[in-house]
Amino acid sequence: MIPISILDYSPIFEGSNVREALLHTEELAQLADTLGFKRYWVAEHHHVFSVAGSTPEMLMMQLAAKTDRIRLGSGGIMLPHYSPYKVAENFRMLEAFHPNRIDLGIGRSPGFPMVNRALNEERGHRVSFDQQVKDLYKYLTDDLQEDHRFSELIATPQVDTMPEIWLLGRGGRSSRVAADLGASYAFAHFAPSSKANGRDITDDYRQRFKASSVQKHPYVMAAVFVVIANTEEEAETLAQTFDLWVLAVETEDQPPYMPSVETVVERGFTQKEVERIQENRDRVVIGTPEQVKEGLNTLAQKDNADELLVIPQFYGENNRKQALELLADVWF
């Protein structure tokens, strides 16, 4: 079996609160650590009221201190909002405390227009995303490039190891940046309205890949939502909490929580919503442990992936813990 990892949005469940959501993420990371999952990544979402994950670096520091083996990562840092120099310093600090356990996943989604404006107000000189990633490589490798505009600048603290660098995306631009710089690539199979052919993108990445000082071979991870339960019926019931959450969070009428099973049953869905749900089901693998295992293996082959990143985005602390246990039982 190929390696499998977790991406957690830190959902705030109906009837719960932000602190409880973050403590649940901590518990889930500890469980994933003991079960044998390779990585535990946390997200950066701004102005999304139903999830608590907005500052992955800070959450990673907490999770790394509470786990023993598992790699901790960002899924991802939205680099256009930030200074590559400051990102390098943040992740060098993480690496200093937890050597060989830190992943730096980089994205470029601008998010909501208001969020983009708030995060970038008062910023002066802007550089391209491609240049930002190159800058980040410079700072993390202590490369004193003579032709760089900050040629003698060093990111501190200086450490003997460095985070793994990943480019996240669902189109050709991020994959080409990853290939040109010699970084790993995570294909966002879960992304909304993604008509891109994952195999075409990952094959192009592999063909373009240029070995770098930190990575010699291409490496692909495919990311997808999952809903796992003991029976098909239970999985389908839980999947409807995911369905309603996606419908709500991808509109302007955001809920302040991940809806409960009871709320979904009471509310129901309109015919138009049912049609949208069927489209969204391409972004999620649902079923019993064996069914999900089969679906994930099919996805890995389809996207030509070396590793899988699953997102257990559905209602209930105990339901999510059980899902990880059920998946581990059939995977490892």
Side-chain angles (χ1 to χ4, degrees):
M1 304 296 291
I2 66 174
I4 190 165
S5 300
I6 309 296
L7 170 57
D8 188 4
Y9 286 4
S10 302
I12 304 168
F13 301 125
E14 183 177 357
S16 184
N17 58 47
V18 170
R19 175 172 170 76
E20 290 171 341
L22 293 172
L23 290 176
H24 170 54
T25 283
E26 182 181 296
E27 292 175 355
L28 208 64
Q30 290 172 324
L31 178 61
D33 190 24
T34 62
L35 290 174
F37 290 92
K38 185 172 183 178
R39 312 172 197 274
Y40 199 94
W41 283 14
V42 290
E44 177 182 324
H45 287 106
H46 303 288
H47 204 67
V48 179
F49 309 120
S50 56
V51 299
S54 60
T55 56
E57 306 100 316
M58 295 186 70
L59 187 50
M60 286 170 61
M61 183 65 85
Q62 175 73 3
L63 300 183
K66 295 288 185 175
T67 53
D68 298 318
R69 172 203 56 83
I70 199 166
R71 296 189 67 91
L72 280 301
S74 57
I77 298 295
M78 296 302 124
L79 191 57
H81 297 315
Y82 309 116
S83 155
Y85 184 63
K86 185 59 178 176
V87 172
E89 289 185 326
N90 286 341
F91 276 79
R92 279 198 151 179
M93 183 63 74
L94 281 162
E95 187 72 19
F97 273 108
H98 307 283
N100 297 311
R101 290 186 60 205
I102 302 301
D103 296 337
L104 171 51
I106 304 163
R108 61 183 183 90
S109 173
F112 297 107
M114 181 171 58
V115 169
N116 188 31
R117 179 183 172 187
L119 286 170
N120 290 279
E121 229 173 19
E122 305 300 328
R123 289 186 64 186
H125 182 68
R126 302 291 297 274
V127 298
S128 69
F129 176 73
D130 296 30
Q131 184 61 51
Q132 282 190 302
V133 178
K134 292 176 182 177
D135 291 348
L136 198 54
Y137 253 66
K138 165 189 160 44
Y139 299 136
L140 290 174
T141 59
D142 291 329
D143 185 1
L144 301 179
Q145 302 173 27
E146 292 184 2
D147 60 346
H148 194 276
R149 63 194 185 284
F150 303 120
S151 59
E152 298 181 0
L153 189 61
I154 298 291
T156 55
Q158 287 185 282
V159 291
D160 294 332
T161 59
M162 66 174 287
E164 284 189 14
I165 301 179
W166 291 76
L167 270 292
L168 285 55
R170 66 176 186 267
R173 182 177 178 184
S174 293
S175 67
R176 287 191 292 271
V177 172
D180 289 343
L181 289 176
S184 297
Y185 177 64
F187 176 69
H189 192 97
F190 65 88
S193 304
S194 178
K195 303 299 183 183
N197 185 308
R199 185 61 179 252
D200 288 345
I201 292 171
T202 57
D203 281 354
D204 182 68
Y205 158 76
R206 292 181 187 280
Q207 291 167 6
R208 290 175 177 266
F209 185 86
K210 301 174 183 176
S212 68
S213 61
V214 296
Q215 187 168 324
K216 303 305 179 187
H217 305 287
Y219 195 84
V220 172
M221 183 160 58
V224 65
F225 290 114
V226 293
V227 180
I228 312 164
N230 277 308
T231 68
E232 288 185 60
E233 294 76 16
E234 291 173 349
E236 178 57 34
T237 298
L238 288 176
Q240 291 180 28
T241 69
F242 164 80
D243 294 333
L244 181 55
W245 176 80
V246 171
L247 288 173
V249 81
E250 292 179 359
T251 68
E252 294 183 357
D253 185 26
Q254 287 192 53
Y257 50 72
M258 163 70 73
S260 66
V261 171
E262 292 75 18
T263 292
V264 175
V265 171
E266 181 179 346
R267 179 190 181 279
F269 298 102
T270 67
Q271 182 57 42
K272 186 176 181 180
E273 288 173 335
V274 169
E275 294 172 1
R276 180 66 185 276
I277 286 168
Q278 290 306 310
E279 294 176 2
N280 284 332
R281 286 296 179 93
D282 288 340
R283 303 159 59 185
V284 57
V285 180
I286 303 167
T288 65
E290 289 293 346
Q291 289 171 330
V292 170
K293 176 183 176 182
E294 181 179 356
L296 290 174
N297 279 320
T298 299
L299 177 67
Q301 294 176 3
K302 179 180 178 182
D303 290 343
N304 194 13
D306 303 294
E307 186 175 335
L308 288 161
L309 184 68
V310 299
I311 314 166
Q313 183 69 3
F314 51 90
Y315 180 80
E317 291 93 338
N318 291 334
N319 294 329
R320 296 214 307 162
K321 290 178 182 177
Q322 182 187 57
L324 264 60
E325 291 169 344
L326 291 172
L327 182 57
D329 283 344
V330 296
W331 202 270
F332 301 118

PDB file of all heavy atoms in Angstrom, residues 154-185:
ATOM      1  N   ILE A 154      20.054  36.026   5.091  1.00  0.00           N
ATOM      2  CA  ILE A 154      19.921  34.680   5.645  1.00  0.00           C
ATOM      3  C   ILE A 154      18.685  34.628   6.536  1.00  0.00           C
ATOM      4  O   ILE A 154      18.462  35.521   7.360  1.00  0.00           O
ATOM      5  CB  ILE A 154      21.163  34.295   6.477  1.00  0.00           C
ATOM      6  CG1 ILE A 154      22.412  34.281   5.589  1.00  0.00           C
ATOM      7  CG2 ILE A 154      20.968  32.961   7.177  1.00  0.00           C
ATOM      8  CD1 ILE A 154      22.432  33.169   4.576  1.00  0.00           C
ATOM      9  N   ALA A 155      17.892  33.580   6.382  1.00  0.00           N
ATOM     10  CA  ALA A 155      16.731  33.380   7.250  1.00  0.00           C
ATOM     11  C   ALA A 155      17.183  32.668   8.525  1.00  0.00           C
ATOM     12  O   ALA A 155      17.877  31.651   8.463  1.00  0.00           O
ATOM     13  CB  ALA A 155      15.663  32.558   6.543  1.00  0.00           C
ATOM     14  N   THR A 156      16.826  33.214   9.652  1.00  0.00           N
ATOM     15  CA  THR A 156      17.194  32.622  10.940  1.00  0.00           C
ATOM     16  C   THR A 156      15.950  32.109  11.659  1.00  0.00           C
ATOM     17  O   THR A 156      14.839  32.582  11.402  1.00  0.00           O
ATOM     18  CB  THR A 156      17.890  33.673  11.820  1.00  0.00           C
ATOM     19  OG1 THR A 156      17.033  34.810  11.941  1.00  0.00           O
ATOM     20  CG2 THR A 156      19.212  34.093  11.218  1.00  0.00           C
ATOM     21  N   PRO A 157      16.130  31.115  12.534  1.00  0.00           N
ATOM     22  CA  PRO A 157      17.388  30.498  12.951  1.00  0.00           C
ATOM     23  C   PRO A 157      17.929  29.547  11.875  1.00  0.00           C
ATOM     24  O   PRO A 157      17.158  28.875  11.197  1.00  0.00           O
ATOM     25  CB  PRO A 157      16.985  29.716  14.211  1.00  0.00           C
ATOM     26  CG  PRO A 157      15.547  29.357  13.974  1.00  0.00           C
ATOM     27  CD  PRO A 157      14.956  30.526  13.244  1.00  0.00           C
ATOM     28  N   GLN A 158      19.227  29.511  11.737  1.00  0.00           N
ATOM     29  CA  GLN A 158      19.842  28.556  10.830  1.00  0.00           C
ATOM     30  C   GLN A 158      19.852  27.181  11.483  1.00  0.00           C
ATOM     31  O   GLN A 158      20.269  27.032  12.637  1.00  0.00           O
ATOM     32  CB  GLN A 158      21.279  28.980  10.501  1.00  0.00           C
ATOM     33  CG  GLN A 158      21.346  30.178   9.561  1.00  0.00           C
ATOM     34  CD  GLN A 158      22.760  30.495   9.150  1.00  0.00           C
ATOM     35  OE1 GLN A 158      23.502  31.091   9.919  1.00  0.00           O
ATOM     36  NE2 GLN A 158      23.144  30.079   7.952  1.00  0.00           N
ATOM     37  N   VAL A 159      19.392  26.190  10.749  1.00  0.00           N
ATOM     38  CA  VAL A 159      19.296  24.821  11.272  1.00  0.00           C
ATOM     39  C   VAL A 159      19.904  23.854  10.271  1.00  0.00           C
ATOM     40  O   VAL A 159      20.068  24.170   9.096  1.00  0.00           O
ATOM     41  CB  VAL A 159      17.833  24.438  11.573  1.00  0.00           C
ATOM     42  CG1 VAL A 159      17.304  25.226  12.763  1.00  0.00           C
ATOM     43  CG2 VAL A 159      16.931  24.675  10.360  1.00  0.00           C
ATOM     44  N   ASP A 160      20.236  22.649  10.750  1.00  0.00           N
ATOM     45  CA  ASP A 160      20.908  21.667   9.903  1.00  0.00           C
ATOM     46  C   ASP A 160      19.955  20.944   8.957  1.00  0.00           C
ATOM     47  O   ASP A 160      20.399  20.352   7.966  1.00  0.00           O
ATOM     48  CB  ASP A 160      21.622  20.629  10.780  1.00  0.00           C
ATOM     49  CG  ASP A 160      22.762  21.242  11.582  1.00  0.00           C
ATOM     50  OD1 ASP A 160      23.334  22.245  11.104  1.00  0.00           O
ATOM     51  OD2 ASP A 160      23.066  20.730  12.677  1.00  0.00           O
ATOM     52  N   THR A 161      18.662  20.944   9.278  1.00  0.00           N
ATOM     53  CA  THR A 161      17.678  20.267   8.429  1.00  0.00           C
ATOM     54  C   THR A 161      16.730  21.298   7.851  1.00  0.00           C
ATOM     55  O   THR A 161      16.731  22.463   8.251  1.00  0.00           O
ATOM     56  CB  THR A 161      16.884  19.233   9.241  1.00  0.00           C
ATOM     57  OG1 THR A 161      16.217  19.910  10.329  1.00  0.00           O
ATOM     58  CG2 THR A 161      17.805  18.154   9.805  1.00  0.00           C
ATOM     59  N   MET A 162      15.893  20.875   6.902  1.00  0.00           N
ATOM     60  CA  MET A 162      14.930  21.813   6.325  1.00  0.00           C
ATOM     61  C   MET A 162      13.602  21.116   6.092  1.00  0.00           C
ATOM     62  O   MET A 162      13.540  19.890   5.933  1.00  0.00           O
ATOM     63  CB  MET A 162      15.445  22.420   5.025  1.00  0.00           C
ATOM     64  CG  MET A 162      15.601  21.457   3.871  1.00  0.00           C
ATOM     65  SD  MET A 162      16.065  22.334   2.343  1.00  0.00           S
ATOM     66  CE  MET A 162      14.505  23.148   1.934  1.00  0.00           C
ATOM     67  N   PRO A 163      12.513  21.882   6.078  1.00  0.00           N
ATOM     68  CA  PRO A 163      11.202  21.284   5.818  1.00  0.00           C
ATOM     69  C   PRO A 163      11.124  20.716   4.409  1.00  0.00           C
ATOM     70  O   PRO A 163      11.834  21.173   3.498  1.00  0.00           O
ATOM     71  CB  PRO A 163      10.230  22.458   5.976  1.00  0.00           C
ATOM     72  CG  PRO A 163      11.007  23.535   6.652  1.00  0.00           C
ATOM     73  CD  PRO A 163      12.432  23.330   6.295  1.00  0.00           C
ATOM     74  N   GLU A 164      10.267  19.711   4.230  1.00  0.00           N
ATOM     75  CA  GLU A 164       9.926  19.293   2.872  1.00  0.00           C
ATOM     76  C   GLU A 164       9.071  20.390   2.247  1.00  0.00           C
ATOM     77  O   GLU A 164       8.186  20.945   2.896  1.00  0.00           O
ATOM     78  CB  GLU A 164       9.128  17.987   2.885  1.00  0.00           C
ATOM     79  CG  GLU A 164       9.951  16.751   3.144  1.00  0.00           C
ATOM     80  CD  GLU A 164       9.148  15.476   2.931  1.00  0.00           C
ATOM     81  OE1 GLU A 164       8.047  15.545   2.332  1.00  0.00           O
ATOM     82  OE2 GLU A 164       9.614  14.421   3.374  1.00  0.00           O
ATOM     83  N   ILE A 165       9.335  20.700   0.984  1.00  0.00           N
ATOM     84  CA  ILE A 165       8.580  21.743   0.290  1.00  0.00           C
ATOM     85  C   ILE A 165       7.625  21.102  -0.712  1.00  0.00           C
ATOM     86  O   ILE A 165       8.019  20.266  -1.520  1.00  0.00           O
ATOM     87  CB  ILE A 165       9.511  22.730  -0.418  1.00  0.00           C
ATOM     88  CG1 ILE A 165      10.455  23.402   0.599  1.00  0.00           C
ATOM     89  CG2 ILE A 165       8.706  23.783  -1.174  1.00  0.00           C
ATOM     90  CD1 ILE A 165      11.426  24.369  -0.021  1.00  0.00           C
ATOM     91  N   TRP A 166       6.364  21.517  -0.630  1.00  0.00           N
ATOM     92  CA  TRP A 166       5.308  21.010  -1.495  1.00  0.00           C
ATOM     93  C   TRP A 166       4.599  22.189  -2.174  1.00  0.00           C
ATOM     94  O   TRP A 166       4.340  23.200  -1.544  1.00  0.00           O
ATOM     95  CB  TRP A 166       4.266  20.245  -0.690  1.00  0.00           C
ATOM     96  CG  TRP A 166       4.741  18.949  -0.120  1.00  0.00           C
ATOM     97  CD1 TRP A 166       5.551  18.756   0.967  1.00  0.00           C
ATOM     98  CD2 TRP A 166       4.409  17.651  -0.601  1.00  0.00           C
ATOM     99  NE1 TRP A 166       5.750  17.418   1.185  1.00  0.00           N
ATOM    100  CE2 TRP A 166       5.057  16.712   0.234  1.00  0.00           C
ATOM    101  CE3 TRP A 166       3.622  17.183  -1.653  1.00  0.00           C
ATOM    102  CZ2 TRP A 166       4.931  15.331   0.046  1.00  0.00           C
ATOM    103  CZ3 TRP A 166       3.501  15.822  -1.851  1.00  0.00           C
ATOM    104  CH2 TRP A 166       4.158  14.908  -1.002  1.00  0.00           C
ATOM    105  N   LEU A 167       4.275  22.016  -3.437  1.00  0.00           N
ATOM    106  CA  LEU A 167       3.393  22.943  -4.135  1.00  0.00           C
ATOM    107  C   LEU A 167       2.015  22.296  -4.219  1.00  0.00           C
ATOM    108  O   LEU A 167       1.898  21.124  -4.599  1.00  0.00           O
ATOM    109  CB  LEU A 167       3.914  23.258  -5.537  1.00  0.00           C
ATOM    110  CG  LEU A 167       4.860  24.451  -5.691  1.00  0.00           C
ATOM    111  CD1 LEU A 167       4.125  25.756  -5.436  1.00  0.00           C
ATOM    112  CD2 LEU A 167       6.070  24.329  -4.787  1.00  0.00           C
ATOM    113  N   LEU A 168       0.984  23.057  -3.877  1.00  0.00           N
ATOM    114  CA  LEU A 168      -0.384  22.566  -3.875  1.00  0.00           C
ATOM    115  C   LEU A 168      -1.150  23.207  -5.020  1.00  0.00           C
ATOM    116  O   LEU A 168      -0.985  24.412  -5.285  1.00  0.00           O
ATOM    117  CB  LEU A 168      -1.082  22.917  -2.556  1.00  0.00           C
ATOM    118  CG  LEU A 168      -0.735  22.142  -1.289  1.00  0.00           C
ATOM    119  CD1 LEU A 168       0.750  22.145  -0.971  1.00  0.00           C
ATOM    120  CD2 LEU A 168      -1.519  22.717  -0.104  1.00  0.00           C
ATOM    121  N   GLY A 169      -1.990  22.439  -5.693  1.00  0.00           N
ATOM    122  CA  GLY A 169      -2.781  23.039  -6.766  1.00  0.00           C
ATOM    123  C   GLY A 169      -3.632  22.016  -7.477  1.00  0.00           C
ATOM    124  O   GLY A 169      -3.606  20.819  -7.180  1.00  0.00           O
ATOM    125  N   ARG A 170      -4.420  22.503  -8.433  1.00  0.00           N
ATOM    126  CA  ARG A 170      -5.262  21.621  -9.227  1.00  0.00           C
ATOM    127  C   ARG A 170      -5.109  21.888 -10.723  1.00  0.00           C
ATOM    128  O   ARG A 170      -5.857  21.360 -11.537  1.00  0.00           O
ATOM    129  CB  ARG A 170      -6.726  21.777  -8.822  1.00  0.00           C
ATOM    130  CG  ARG A 170      -7.343  23.137  -9.121  1.00  0.00           C
ATOM    131  CD  ARG A 170      -8.827  23.141  -8.759  1.00  0.00           C
ATOM    132  NE  ARG A 170      -9.490  24.372  -9.145  1.00  0.00           N
ATOM    133  CZ  ARG A 170      -9.638  25.422  -8.352  1.00  0.00           C
ATOM    134  NH1 ARG A 170      -9.139  25.390  -7.135  1.00  0.00           N
ATOM    135  NH2 ARG A 170     -10.280  26.496  -8.766  1.00  0.00           N
ATOM    136  N   GLY A 171      -4.135  22.760 -11.063  1.00  0.00           N
ATOM    137  CA  GLY A 171      -3.908  23.079 -12.463  1.00  0.00           C
ATOM    138  C   GLY A 171      -2.442  22.994 -12.811  1.00  0.00           C
ATOM    139  O   GLY A 171      -1.597  22.614 -11.990  1.00  0.00           O
ATOM    140  N   GLY A 172      -2.129  23.400 -14.020  1.00  0.00           N
ATOM    141  CA  GLY A 172      -0.775  23.224 -14.515  1.00  0.00           C
ATOM    142  C   GLY A 172       0.242  24.189 -13.959  1.00  0.00           C
ATOM    143  O   GLY A 172       1.439  23.871 -13.930  1.00  0.00           O
ATOM    144  N   ARG A 173      -0.198  25.366 -13.492  1.00  0.00           N
ATOM    145  CA  ARG A 173       0.788  26.369 -13.082  1.00  0.00           C
ATOM    146  C   ARG A 173       1.585  25.905 -11.863  1.00  0.00           C
ATOM    147  O   ARG A 173       2.817  25.936 -11.863  1.00  0.00           O
ATOM    148  CB  ARG A 173       0.105  27.695 -12.776  1.00  0.00           C
ATOM    149  CG  ARG A 173       1.101  28.784 -12.381  1.00  0.00           C
ATOM    150  CD  ARG A 173       0.448  30.129 -12.155  1.00  0.00           C
ATOM    151  NE  ARG A 173       1.434  31.111 -11.726  1.00  0.00           N
ATOM    152  CZ  ARG A 173       1.140  32.352 -11.385  1.00  0.00           C
ATOM    153  NH1 ARG A 173      -0.117  32.759 -11.416  1.00  0.00           N
ATOM    154  NH2 ARG A 173       2.090  33.184 -10.998  1.00  0.00           N
ATOM    155  N   SER A 174       0.892  25.479 -10.812  1.00  0.00           N
ATOM    156  CA  SER A 174       1.594  25.048  -9.602  1.00  0.00           C
ATOM    157  C   SER A 174       2.455  23.820  -9.864  1.00  0.00           C
ATOM    158  O   SER A 174       3.558  23.693  -9.324  1.00  0.00           O
ATOM    159  CB  SER A 174       0.590  24.766  -8.482  1.00  0.00           C
ATOM    160  OG  SER A 174      -0.050  25.948  -8.070  1.00  0.00           O
ATOM    161  N   SER A 175       1.956  22.915 -10.669  1.00  0.00           N
ATOM    162  CA  SER A 175       2.738  21.703 -10.960  1.00  0.00           C
ATOM    163  C   SER A 175       4.005  22.039 -11.726  1.00  0.00           C
ATOM    164  O   SER A 175       5.055  21.433 -11.510  1.00  0.00           O
ATOM    165  CB  SER A 175       1.885  20.693 -11.738  1.00  0.00           C
ATOM    166  OG  SER A 175       1.574  21.172 -13.035  1.00  0.00           O
ATOM    167  N   ARG A 176       3.927  23.037 -12.608  1.00  0.00           N
ATOM    168  CA  ARG A 176       5.128  23.430 -13.358  1.00  0.00           C
ATOM    169  C   ARG A 176       6.137  24.122 -12.455  1.00  0.00           C
ATOM    170  O   ARG A 176       7.349  23.921 -12.604  1.00  0.00           O
ATOM    171  CB  ARG A 176       4.735  24.332 -14.532  1.00  0.00           C
ATOM    172  CG  ARG A 176       4.039  23.592 -15.670  1.00  0.00           C
ATOM    173  CD  ARG A 176       3.917  24.450 -16.904  1.00  0.00           C
ATOM    174  NE  ARG A 176       2.994  25.563 -16.715  1.00  0.00           N
ATOM    175  CZ  ARG A 176       1.689  25.515 -16.942  1.00  0.00           C
ATOM    176  NH1 ARG A 176       1.140  24.381 -17.370  1.00  0.00           N
ATOM    177  NH2 ARG A 176       0.929  26.571 -16.764  1.00  0.00           N
ATOM    178  N   VAL A 177       5.654  24.945 -11.521  1.00  0.00           N
ATOM    179  CA  VAL A 177       6.565  25.576 -10.564  1.00  0.00           C
ATOM    180  C   VAL A 177       7.265  24.502  -9.739  1.00  0.00           C
ATOM    181  O   VAL A 177       8.476  24.554  -9.506  1.00  0.00           O
ATOM    182  CB  VAL A 177       5.806  26.562  -9.655  1.00  0.00           C
ATOM    183  CG1 VAL A 177       6.721  27.076  -8.540  1.00  0.00           C
ATOM    184  CG2 VAL A 177       5.258  27.727 -10.465  1.00  0.00           C
ATOM    185  N   ALA A 178       6.487  23.510  -9.274  1.00  0.00           N
ATOM    186  CA  ALA A 178       7.065  22.413  -8.494  1.00  0.00           C
ATOM    187  C   ALA A 178       8.118  21.665  -9.297  1.00  0.00           C
ATOM    188  O   ALA A 178       9.197  21.338  -8.788  1.00  0.00           O
ATOM    189  CB  ALA A 178       5.961  21.460  -8.037  1.00  0.00           C
ATOM    190  N   ALA A 179       7.810  21.378 -10.556  1.00  0.00           N
ATOM    191  CA  ALA A 179       8.748  20.632 -11.400  1.00  0.00           C
ATOM    192  C   ALA A 179      10.024  21.424 -11.656  1.00  0.00           C
ATOM    193  O   ALA A 179      11.132  20.883 -11.582  1.00  0.00           O
ATOM    194  CB  ALA A 179       8.075  20.276 -12.722  1.00  0.00           C
ATOM    195  N   ASP A 180       9.888  22.703 -11.947  1.00  0.00           N
ATOM    196  CA  ASP A 180      11.052  23.528 -12.263  1.00  0.00           C
ATOM    197  C   ASP A 180      11.984  23.681 -11.062  1.00  0.00           C
ATOM    198  O   ASP A 180      13.208  23.769 -11.234  1.00  0.00           O
ATOM    199  CB  ASP A 180      10.601  24.910 -12.744  1.00  0.00           C
ATOM    200  CG  ASP A 180       9.968  24.878 -14.126  1.00  0.00           C
ATOM    201  OD1 ASP A 180      10.159  23.875 -14.828  1.00  0.00           O
ATOM    202  OD2 ASP A 180       9.276  25.851 -14.487  1.00  0.00           O
ATOM    203  N   LEU A 181      11.408  23.722  -9.853  1.00  0.00           N
ATOM    204  CA  LEU A 181      12.213  23.943  -8.656  1.00  0.00           C
ATOM    205  C   LEU A 181      12.633  22.643  -7.973  1.00  0.00           C
ATOM    206  O   LEU A 181      13.423  22.662  -7.037  1.00  0.00           O
ATOM    207  CB  LEU A 181      11.451  24.822  -7.666  1.00  0.00           C
ATOM    208  CG  LEU A 181      11.299  26.282  -8.090  1.00  0.00           C
ATOM    209  CD1 LEU A 181      10.443  27.034  -7.091  1.00  0.00           C
ATOM    210  CD2 LEU A 181      12.659  26.945  -8.207  1.00  0.00           C
ATOM    211  N   GLY A 182      12.099  21.520  -8.417  1.00  0.00           N
ATOM    212  CA  GLY A 182      12.442  20.258  -7.789  1.00  0.00           C
ATOM    213  C   GLY A 182      11.748  20.060  -6.457  1.00  0.00           C
ATOM    214  O   GLY A 182      12.380  19.672  -5.465  1.00  0.00           O
ATOM    215  N   ALA A 183      10.442  20.342  -6.411  1.00  0.00           N
ATOM    216  CA  ALA A 183       9.646  20.177  -5.192  1.00  0.00           C
ATOM    217  C   ALA A 183       8.605  19.096  -5.394  1.00  0.00           C
ATOM    218  O   ALA A 183       8.310  18.690  -6.529  1.00  0.00           O
ATOM    219  CB  ALA A 183       8.963  21.499  -4.826  1.00  0.00           C
ATOM    220  N   SER A 184       8.013  18.619  -4.310  1.00  0.00           N
ATOM    221  CA  SER A 184       6.906  17.675  -4.398  1.00  0.00           C
ATOM    222  C   SER A 184       5.634  18.423  -4.791  1.00  0.00           C
ATOM    223  O   SER A 184       5.530  19.641  -4.636  1.00  0.00           O
ATOM    224  CB  SER A 184       6.698  16.975  -3.051  1.00  0.00           C
ATOM    225  OG  SER A 184       7.827  16.215  -2.692  1.00  0.00           O
ATOM    226  N   TYR A 185       4.653  17.672  -5.300  1.00  0.00           N
ATOM    227  CA  TYR A 185       3.414  18.273  -5.791  1.00  0.00           C
ATOM    228  C   TYR A 185       2.207  17.554  -5.215  1.00  0.00           C
ATOM    229  O   TYR A 185       2.133  16.322  -5.239  1.00  0.00           O
ATOM    230  CB  TYR A 185       3.366  18.221  -7.317  1.00  0.00           C
ATOM    231  CG  TYR A 185       2.080  18.765  -7.907  1.00  0.00           C
ATOM    232  CD1 TYR A 185       1.735  20.105  -7.737  1.00  0.00           C
ATOM    233  CD2 TYR A 185       1.208  17.949  -8.616  1.00  0.00           C
ATOM    234  CE1 TYR A 185       0.557  20.610  -8.263  1.00  0.00           C
ATOM    235  CE2 TYR A 185       0.036  18.449  -9.153  1.00  0.00           C
ATOM    236  CZ  TYR A 185      -0.289  19.781  -8.965  1.00  0.00           C
ATOM    237  OH  TYR A 185      -1.454  20.279  -9.482  1.00  0.00           O
TER     238      TYR A 185
END
